[in-house]
Amino acid sequence: MQSICLLLGLSAAISASPLSQQLPLSETEPAGQVLASRKPLSGRFLHITEDFHPDRLYKSGTSIGRSCHHGDGPAGYFGAEGTECDSPLSLVNETFRWIENNLKDDIDFVIWTGDSARHDNDEKLPRSAEEIVQLNKFMAQKWVELFSQGQGADTTGAVSKLSVPVIPTFGNNDIMPHNIFKEGPNKWTKRFADVWKEFIPEDQRHTFVEGGWFTSEVVPGRLAVISLNTMYFFESNSAVDGCKSKSEPGYEHMEWLRIQLKILRSRNMKAILMGHVPPARSSEKKNWDETCWQKYTLWIHQYRDVVVGSLYGHMNIDHFMLQDSDKVNIADADGKVSVRSKSDYLESLRSQWSSLPSPPTDVFEQLDDIMSDGDDSEVTSVKKSKKRKFLEKIGGPWAERYSVSLVAPSLVPNYFPSLRVVEYNITDLDDVALDVDLTSYETHFISDDLDDTAYETFESDTFPTEPEIQKKKKKGKKKKPNFKIPEPPSSTAPPGPAYSNQAFSWLSYTQYFANLTHINHEIATGQQGDNPHIDFEVEYRTDDDAYQMKDLSVRSYFQLAARIAEEDQADADSASGSNSRAADWSATDKKKPINTAWRAFLARAFVGYEDIEDLID
């Protein structure tokens, strides 16, 4: 936090022309993602980390060592759980059937986070670019059929009317070669502009063709979802080089994101960020180029009054990560992540969280009591030195030093197929228009020359340390600004929806999964008869006894991370009576208390498929 404050102190007014192809948001719901009359908000949305990887070549009864394409083996009817095989179309179709029967009428929009084509893991049957496009068309058509009004999708080429918005994004396997995404416009942005024509707002089509990113207002005039093209941030994309140079698409993408967030702030709107590859950054795994991670973390921090939260997929394991606007120690690690290395990655997150500022006893409970009536003016009554210093370290009573990214597990059965329903606050949203006039809309332009402060260029690709800043001040040298630093929220602005419970704040989520081991066994033994089907069941809720989250605020995730990071050798007597600890006795050693928050986090990461004892051992 101190480094951010110091950066903001290096103010130097600059002017720069807006991006030449910048297209801002429209005031009303944009034409293009055409919605029929809007129903009242339910306060729920679906996040499906597509990672569906549909595979038309999958055959049940084939070898799992041969991509479930050839030979004889145990590949099940609905997929080969716990393997590297992709998803049969039977799993895709059943998933959509279950969503239609159980969720369709109770969700407000869909976050769809990429990878809707099979992996290129069969040398005898290599992928083609046309196959990738066709698989994505197949997946897009499933959403259109699910949410189209009337008799189904329009087969004439016209844009179908959808009952709820669906927001897609590029996955690293939605292109060819996988991971490699060149500067736009390119053949993929042009093809997918057509594939996703029902989902990309008309006024965002040009922006999408330029770089594969766009914004959609899912609640007109109130809430937008920003679809990021994380391929330009991805370390494995050798066609680009981070977000530092103005010639790089990653730099342009970050500038576009900054301007979009500025526009939303000027309109008093909120935003959800979503993408495919998450900003993992630990001693075991680093997904993004460092210059992109640095800007992303700063952007979210400075626009913390706008950003509701961030959602990603790609990694197939259920977890979350904290972005620290102050500093994080990292080491680079690339390559494919196995189950063993994934558990190492989770352990590295736990180790990272062990360095979080340690909460004094009852500090959060005391804050909750003070602010339970909606008035935080008495927060200053937390006078004890230890508690005051702790709050200063975490960015105040709302932990505004941090932001959170959620990574959902996948539908492809590397473990068990899963999907997630997030509940959010719809208080004071009764005035949301139910009918949207799509025939006309007013476009909002905003100057890119407002009161942003500038960051001076340092030789390092990362933000300068305090010693570097002081050294530069002493020398009195000034260089041409590298990029703009957004203004923080107004000093009179209340905490944003990611920090304080208000309209659009995330309250909880329910994680669903399908136990393919049991389902495939029922099919193989004839128990399901001639009509095989899948029923997703609840794996967990975030407010259960293991996670104990009263909401999905950053502070709640900070508290959960601190509990997960606690030593297994913690004092069981004190742990058993405190909400800030979650410990239980090990079934194998009565003398050693085991951190049940950590055990739950580890088990849930693998959707309950892996043996928790093996992972802990």
Side-chain angles (χ1 to χ4, degrees):
M1 183 64 70
Q2 291 177 349
S3 63
I4 296 295
C5 293
L6 287 167
L7 283 170
L8 294 176
L10 294 174
S11 59
I14 63 172
S15 61
S17 298
L19 297 176
S20 58
Q21 303 299 332
Q22 173 65 40
L23 287 179
L25 298 168
S26 62
E27 181 172 32
T28 63
E29 190 165 1
Q33 180 151 339
V34 182
L35 304 183
S37 296
R38 293 294 298 263
K39 60 186 179 181
L41 294 176
S42 68
R44 304 167 81 215
F45 69 85
L46 172 64
H47 176 203
I48 190 159
T49 145
E50 268 292 327
D51 288 282
F52 256 122
H53 293 291
D55 185 358
R56 296 181 186 274
L57 305 177
Y58 181 100
K59 296 178 182 178
S60 60
T62 55
S63 170
I64 60 176
R66 301 179 68 184
S67 304
C68 295
H69 292 166
H70 318 280
D72 297 323
Y77 181 81
F78 283 124
E81 70 278 12
T83 74
E84 296 297 320
C85 292
D86 286 325
S87 300
L89 298 193
S90 57
L91 174 61
V92 175
N93 292 330
E94 269 299 288
T95 298
F96 277 91
R97 181 198 63 81
W98 189 87
I99 293 173
E100 180 172 19
N101 293 340
N102 295 275
L103 300 178
K104 176 182 176 181
D105 297 327
D106 296 313
I107 54 177
D108 299 325
F109 52 93
V110 176
I111 303 291
W112 170 24
T113 46
D115 266 6
S116 296
R118 71 178 175 99
H119 290 95
D120 199 7
N121 55 10
D122 188 340
E123 293 182 357
K124 293 184 177 180
L125 298 168
R127 298 193 311 171
S128 68
E130 188 58 30
E131 180 188 9
I132 293 171
V133 172
Q134 291 305 316
L135 286 171
N136 271 276
K137 282 186 176 180
F138 166 73
M139 293 304 305
Q141 187 66 16
K142 298 298 289 187
W143 290 115
V144 172
E145 291 172 354
L146 180 63
F147 292 117
S148 64
Q149 299 291 289
Q151 299 301 315
D154 190 331
T155 58
T156 66
V159 176
S160 302
K161 292 184 177 181
L162 305 182
S163 58
V164 301
V166 176
I167 303 90
T169 192
F170 277 110
N172 63 307
N173 284 285
D174 292 328
I175 52 181
M176 187 175 178
H178 79 288
N179 298 340
I180 307 302
F181 200 102
K182 296 180 180 180
E183 181 180 6
N186 59 48
K187 64 179 181 181
W188 297 108
T189 61
K190 294 174 183 177
R191 291 295 299 273
F192 275 80
D194 178 63
V195 173
W196 291 338
K197 63 180 180 292
E198 281 85 3
F199 315 129
I200 302 171
E202 183 65 36
D203 63 323
Q204 296 284 300
R205 296 261 176 95
H206 182 75
T207 296
F208 180 82
V209 171
E210 284 294 311
W213 52 73
F214 69 97
T215 300
S216 177
E217 292 191 35
V218 294
V219 180
R222 304 297 296 274
L223 177 67
V225 173
I226 299 178
S227 178
L228 302 173
N229 184 358
T230 55
M231 293 302 95
Y232 289 140
F233 311 150
F234 195 21
E235 282 242 307
S236 297
N237 183 6
S238 59
V240 298
D241 188 19
C243 299
K244 181 182 179 182
S245 171
K246 291 183 179 181
S247 63
E248 289 295 329
Y251 181 99
E252 182 179 0
H253 195 358
M254 281 296 173
E255 284 297 283
W256 174 85
L257 174 60
R258 179 180 64 81
I259 294 171
Q260 294 298 297
L261 293 172
K262 180 190 288 188
I263 293 171
L264 292 173
R265 176 186 279 169
S266 74
R267 296 178 59 195
N268 196 28
M269 288 183 64
K270 307 303 177 185
I272 294 172
L273 306 185
M274 54 87 76
H276 181 65
V277 179
R281 188 175 185 262
S282 78
S283 60
E284 288 293 326
K285 187 66 179 175
K286 179 184 173 186
N287 282 341
W288 287 16
D289 180 274
E290 177 65 11
T291 60
C292 301
W293 188 94
Q294 292 280 350
K295 285 188 176 182
Y296 173 80
T297 302
L298 181 59
W299 273 212
I300 293 182
H301 179 71
Q302 298 299 86
Y303 286 108
R304 60 191 181 275
D305 56 328
V306 176
V307 177
V308 177
S310 304
L311 301 168
Y312 297 93
H314 178 65
M315 297 182 75
N316 295 347
I317 52 174
D318 181 351
H319 66 295
F320 66 94
M321 51 192 71
L322 293 173
Q323 282 83 230
D324 186 347
S325 65
D326 191 3
K327 57 183 179 180
V328 175
N329 294 321
I330 65 166
D332 197 354
D334 290 322
K336 190 172 182 178
V337 186
S338 65
V339 169
R340 183 71 263 167
S341 62
K342 283 181 178 178
S343 63
D344 290 342
Y345 162 66
L346 296 171
E347 183 68 55
S348 72
L349 287 180
R350 187 188 186 199
S351 176
Q352 192 178 87
W353 296 337
S354 68
S355 64
L356 292 171
S358 180
T361 305
D362 299 330
V363 63
F364 290 123
E365 289 80 357
Q366 184 178 354
L367 288 170
D368 288 340
D369 290 340
I370 292 173
M371 294 182 286
S372 60
D373 60 357
D375 180 12
D376 61 358
S377 60
E378 297 183 33
V379 170
T380 54
S381 65
V382 183
K383 293 181 178 178
K384 290 188 178 180
S385 176
K386 189 174 182 181
K387 292 182 179 179
R388 290 291 293 257
K389 288 182 178 179
F390 167 73
L391 294 181
E392 290 173 1
K393 287 181 180 179
I394 67 171
W398 309 103
E400 291 180 277
R401 166 177 165 178
Y402 302 96
S403 59
V404 176
S405 294
L406 305 187
V407 183
S410 62
L411 211 296
V412 68
N414 288 158
Y415 309 110
F416 287 136
S418 62
L419 48 85
R420 174 175 296 177
V421 175
V422 180
E423 297 177 25
Y424 67 95
N425 191 330
I426 55 175
T427 302
D428 300 326
L429 294 178
D430 294 337
D431 61 338
V432 172
L434 302 183
D435 294 285
V436 180
D437 180 8
L438 299 179
T439 61
S440 64
Y441 56 90
E442 178 183 353
T443 301
H444 281 256
F445 288 91
I446 187 168
S447 171
D448 195 28
D449 303 325
L450 299 182
D451 296 329
D452 284 332
T453 54
Y455 159 59
E456 292 190 291
T457 304
F458 286 75
E459 292 182 1
S460 171
D461 284 349
T462 61
F463 293 137
T465 63
E466 184 174 353
E468 286 177 316
I469 293 171
Q470 298 303 326
K471 182 179 179 181
K472 201 167 187 68
K473 281 184 176 181
K474 288 180 180 179
K475 289 184 176 181
K477 292 183 179 179
K478 291 185 177 181
K479 292 186 178 180
K480 196 174 182 179
N482 188 356
F483 61 85
K484 289 185 176 182
I485 291 191
E487 285 189 322
S490 166
S491 59
T492 60
Y499 299 90
S500 174
N501 194 351
Q502 57 192 265
F504 300 118
S505 293
W506 296 346
L507 304 176
S508 64
Y509 68 73
T510 303
Q511 190 69 37
Y512 294 91
F513 81 111
N515 190 324
L516 285 193
T517 301
H518 293 165
I519 293 169
N520 283 330
H521 175 73
E522 289 177 349
I523 294 171
T525 55
Q527 297 178 53
Q528 288 211 16
D530 297 330
N531 188 28
H533 63 276
I534 284 178
D535 284 318
F536 284 83
E537 54 189 298
V538 174
E539 182 193 1
Y540 71 92
R541 284 181 53 90
T542 50
D543 56 2
D544 64 9
D545 290 340
Y547 274 5
Q548 303 173 18
M549 300 181 75
K550 66 177 184 178
D551 55 34
L552 301 186
S553 65
V554 172
R555 202 179 77 181
S556 290
Y557 273 105
F558 177 92
Q559 290 175 266
L560 177 59
R563 289 172 50 224
I564 289 171
E566 288 178 353
E567 292 290 337
D568 289 344
Q569 300 295 326
D571 181 2
D573 290 335
S574 62
S576 62
S578 171
N579 285 334
S580 65
R581 288 181 178 271
D584 200 356
W585 294 107
S586 166
T588 57
D589 188 344
K590 298 297 182 182
K591 295 182 180 180
K592 294 183 177 181
I594 297 296
N595 182 333
T596 54
W598 164 238
R599 291 170 68 90
F601 178 70
L602 196 57
R604 291 169 178 180
F606 300 101
V607 201
Y609 180 82
E610 297 293 338
D611 188 325
I612 187 67
E613 300 302 331
D614 290 344
L615 292 173
I616 289 178
D617 290 342

